[in-house]
């Protein structure tokens, strides 16, 4: 899109989406990328993320280029005050601003959702590890989901089914948290049997949504499939959740991608976890699906909602992992013809090839994305590409395809069509 050739953009990331800078680079005159590296003992792995790509320039931080950047694009959480500072200084900013609180401050967010009449699974807020142990015992063998606020590196959401099977994990947490264990708040949600994951994957500009979006379902941490739908075609009880939250997003001046991950049964729906950032999935897929992404970001950062132009009716995302990458750099080999359909996390381009820097938090390092006229065509193409990606202990979640196909069949029986 040549109208931005005189403009500059800076992607402010946490390492997951250097591919966004590659996607925007052809449309902007200058494209910068930065991700955090500052620590008491800085790691070269962190300073190398995003290095070596001819499409964009990695910078150590925004401060050396702040006067030269026309658009800042934030992909993740925890930088709301910085975004507000940039806005106050006249900068165009795409980001969730302090609307990130709806994701990271779980207790306050749940109370707010209740006040809006948004349905959620029954839950309790438990303070302290001993109280958590007591509560789990009191629930017998019930399946429960345990979540914490803010610090996802401490633990992602996990489930328990009875105290005895959970005891070792709780013991490990007690040792890990040390003196904080008795001050930590846990959100404990009831399990919702016979439900499936469903979300409208879209973006919001000051609480408003585009008239078309993606309706998608995820096989957790493995794969995702979606269809382009008009807003009026979305399940009414699902779109109602978004519309109830709209005024809150407006107050935050929220201008970011959004997925209100929900659990759906034949007749009911419950909000699970709001994703107030570029989620993974489906953002890797959206990089290819959204033909006018530069315009969406440029105008959206200025408060103007631009309708999406989608490529294809259906799209599929398959995640790729290697346990090696948790602790070691990983060289990845693949046919160049598939480059735009493989989206890498924490990638660095060296003369001898594309490397993934150690991630520590997850073995998932990339996603295959496809789009087309039917789910089966998208899935078949992704499976073929997955066979061409080589690296030490690299494995694609091919099995996610069967689970997602079952989801689609179940949705059809419930009258929900992707």
């Amino acid at each position: 899109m040549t109208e931005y050739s005189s403009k500059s953009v800076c992607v402010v990331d946490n390492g997951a989406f250097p591919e966004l800078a590659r996607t925007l680079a052809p449309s902007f005159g200058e494209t910068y990328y930065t991700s955090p590296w500052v620590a008491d003992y800085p790691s070269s792995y962190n300073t190398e993320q995003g290095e070596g790509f001819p499409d964009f320039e990695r910078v150590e931080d925004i401060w050396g280029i702040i006067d030269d950047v026309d658009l800042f694009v934030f992909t993740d959480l925890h930088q709301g005050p910085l975004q507000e500072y940039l806005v106050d200084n006249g900068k165009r900013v795409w980001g969730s601003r302090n609307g990130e609180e709806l994701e990271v401050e779980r207790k306050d967010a749940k109370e707010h959702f209740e006040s809006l009449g948004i349905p959620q699974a029954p839950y309790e807020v438990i303070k302290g590890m001993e109280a958590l142990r007591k509560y789990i015992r009191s629930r017998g063998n019930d399946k429960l989901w345990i979540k914490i606020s803010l610090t996802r590196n401490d633990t992602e959401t996990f489930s328990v089914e009875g105290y005895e099977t959970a005891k070792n994990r709780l013991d490990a947490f007690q040792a890990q948290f040390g003196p904080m264990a008795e001050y930590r708040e846990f959100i404990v949600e009831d399990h919702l049997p016979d439900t499936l994951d469903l979300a409208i994957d879209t973006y919001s500009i000051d609480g408003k949504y585009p008239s078309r979006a993606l309706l998608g379902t995820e096989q957790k941490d493995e794969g995702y499939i979606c269809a382009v739908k008009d807003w009026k075609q979305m399940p009414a009880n699902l779109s109602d959740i978004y519309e109830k939250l709209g005024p809150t997003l407006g107050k935050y001046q929220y201008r970011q991608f959004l997925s209100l991950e929900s659990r759906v049964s034949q007749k009911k729906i419950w909000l699970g976890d709001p994703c107030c950032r570029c989620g993974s999935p489906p953002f890797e897929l959206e990089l290819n699906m959204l033909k006018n992404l530069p315009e969406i970001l440029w105008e959206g950062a200025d408060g103007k909602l631009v309708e999406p132009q989608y490529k294809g009716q259906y799209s599929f995302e398959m995640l790729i992992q290697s346990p090696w990458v948790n602790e070691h750099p990983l060289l990845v080999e693949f046919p160049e013809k598939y480059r735009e359909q493989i989206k890498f996390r924490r990638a660095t381009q060296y003369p001898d090839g594309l490397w993934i820097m150690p991630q520590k938090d997850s073995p998932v390092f990339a996603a295959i994305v496809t789009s087309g006229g039917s789910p089966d065509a998208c899935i078949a193409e992704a499976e073929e590409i997955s066979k061409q990606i080589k690296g030490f202990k690299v494995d694609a979640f091919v099995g996610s395809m069967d689970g997602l196909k079952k989801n689609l069949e179940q949705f059809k029986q419930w009258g929900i069509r992707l």
Side-chain angles (χ1 to χ4, degrees):
M1 300 179 67
T2 56
E3 60 263 44
Y4 305 122
S5 60
S6 64
K7 306 298 183 182
S8 59
V9 60
C10 180
V11 175
V12 185
D13 188 34
N14 280 335
F17 298 117
E19 296 287 351
L20 174 57
R22 286 188 70 250
T23 300
L24 296 178
S27 299
F28 286 86
E30 294 287 344
T31 303
Y32 303 100
Y33 174 86
T34 187
S35 59
W37 61 273
V38 175
D40 49 355
Y41 294 92
S43 166
S44 59
Y45 292 149
N46 289 336
T47 62
E48 288 297 298
Q49 291 177 17
E51 280 284 4
F53 292 96
D55 319 79
F56 60 88
E57 178 185 352
R58 177 189 166 84
V59 293
E60 290 187 353
D61 54 50
I62 69 170
W63 303 111
I65 58 168
I66 187 169
D67 293 333
D68 303 321
V69 173
D70 298 300
L71 170 65
F72 287 92
V73 178
F74 287 78
T75 63
D76 212 333
L77 305 169
H78 313 305
Q79 301 203 65
L82 175 58
Q83 294 175 41
E84 297 283 3
Y85 170 84
L86 292 170
V87 170
D88 289 344
N89 282 270
K91 292 296 182 179
R92 263 182 156 92
V93 175
W94 175 275
S96 53
R97 295 169 171 72
N98 290 320
E100 64 188 25
E101 295 170 349
L102 296 170
E103 178 173 351
V104 301
E105 300 295 343
R106 292 188 190 272
K107 177 185 174 183
D108 292 344
K110 280 185 167 294
E111 291 173 355
H112 182 64
F113 300 146
E114 283 182 332
S115 73
L116 297 176
I118 293 175
Q120 304 172 88
Y123 73 94
E124 295 287 343
V125 179
I126 309 295
K127 186 172 182 178
M129 186 62 70
E130 289 307 313
L132 178 63
R133 292 177 189 271
K134 182 178 180 180
Y135 182 75
I136 294 172
R137 287 192 191 98
S138 74
R139 295 295 300 269
N141 291 322
D142 289 349
K143 186 172 184 177
L144 305 169
W145 293 92
I146 300 176
K147 307 177 180 185
I148 63 171
S149 294
L150 192 62
T151 52
R152 293 175 64 194
N153 193 50
D154 289 341
T155 180
E156 288 278 20
T157 298
F158 66 97
S159 65
V160 302
E161 294 186 63
Y163 179 74
E164 291 306 318
T165 58
K167 183 177 182 302
N168 286 348
R169 186 162 195 171
L170 298 177
D171 289 345
F173 283 155
Q174 184 118 31
Q176 173 187 340
F177 295 149
M180 295 185 295
E182 288 309 306
Y183 300 95
R184 169 79 71 175
E185 282 189 338
F186 299 91
I187 309 296
V188 185
E189 291 184 357
D190 284 11
H191 178 64
L192 299 171
D194 302 318
T195 62
L196 296 175
D197 173 273
L198 189 67
I200 299 172
D201 295 302
T202 184
Y203 49 90
S204 178
I205 306 300
D206 299 343
K208 298 180 176 62
Y209 308 102
S211 63
R212 304 180 82 205
L214 302 177
L215 181 63
T217 184
E218 181 183 0
Q219 194 80 356
K220 184 64 175 173
D221 296 328
E222 295 185 5
Y224 166 89
I225 195 162
C226 66
V228 177
K229 296 279 188 182
D230 291 338
W231 193 263
K232 63 185 179 182
Q233 294 176 308
M234 300 294 182
N237 53 1
L238 180 57
S239 60
D240 182 63
I241 293 175
Y242 287 74
E243 288 157 8
K244 285 179 176 176
L245 193 58
T248 299
L249 298 176
K251 291 177 181 177
Y252 279 118
Q253 286 194 311
Y254 185 99
R255 299 171 185 178
Q256 177 62 287
F257 287 90
L258 179 71
S259 298
L260 300 181
E261 300 171 3
S262 303
R263 300 297 298 182
V264 180
S265 70
Q266 186 169 8
K267 296 182 179 179
K268 294 183 179 182
I269 192 165
W270 299 263
L271 174 61
D273 294 314
C275 180
C276 300
R277 54 191 158 86
C278 300
S280 178
F283 188 60
E284 295 91 346
L285 172 154
E286 290 173 305
L287 290 174
N288 280 17
M289 281 285 280
L290 289 166
K291 295 190 290 184
N292 61 334
L293 179 61
E295 183 184 13
I296 290 169
L297 301 180
W298 176 265
E299 297 295 345
D302 198 38
K304 301 180 183 70
L305 177 66
V306 172
E307 291 292 334
Q309 298 172 15
Y310 286 109
K311 173 186 175 183
Q313 180 61 32
Y314 296 93
S315 196
F316 174 64
E317 178 171 334
M318 180 194 297
L319 300 183
I320 312 167
Q321 67 167 354
S322 168
W324 180 257
V325 82
N326 275 340
E327 300 291 339
H328 312 279
L330 173 71
L331 175 65
V332 185
E333 298 177 319
F334 51 90
E336 187 60 29
K337 66 180 180 179
Y338 295 131
R339 177 63 184 90
E340 297 308 316
Q341 292 176 273
I342 308 172
K343 305 300 182 184
F344 294 100
R345 301 178 182 177
R346 295 180 172 84
T348 301
Q349 185 69 55
Y350 284 102
D352 63 340
L354 188 144
W355 289 75
I356 307 299
M357 295 297 103
Q359 304 192 73
K360 299 186 183 299
D361 56 340
S362 169
V364 173
F365 68 87
I368 299 168
V369 298
T370 58
S371 59
S374 72
D376 287 343
C378 296
I379 288 172
E381 185 180 6
E383 184 174 18
E384 179 58 32
I385 295 172
S386 74
K387 299 173 184 176
Q388 312 301 319
I389 301 174
K390 309 298 180 184
F392 188 62
K393 294 188 177 181
V394 166
D395 179 40
F397 285 103
V398 177
S400 68
M401 297 184 294
D402 292 335
L404 289 170
K405 287 179 179 178
K406 289 179 181 177
N407 284 8
L408 295 181
E409 283 299 315
Q410 185 63 74
F411 283 133
K412 188 183 296 185
Q413 293 177 25
W414 291 346
I416 300 172
R417 290 190 175 272
L418 266 68

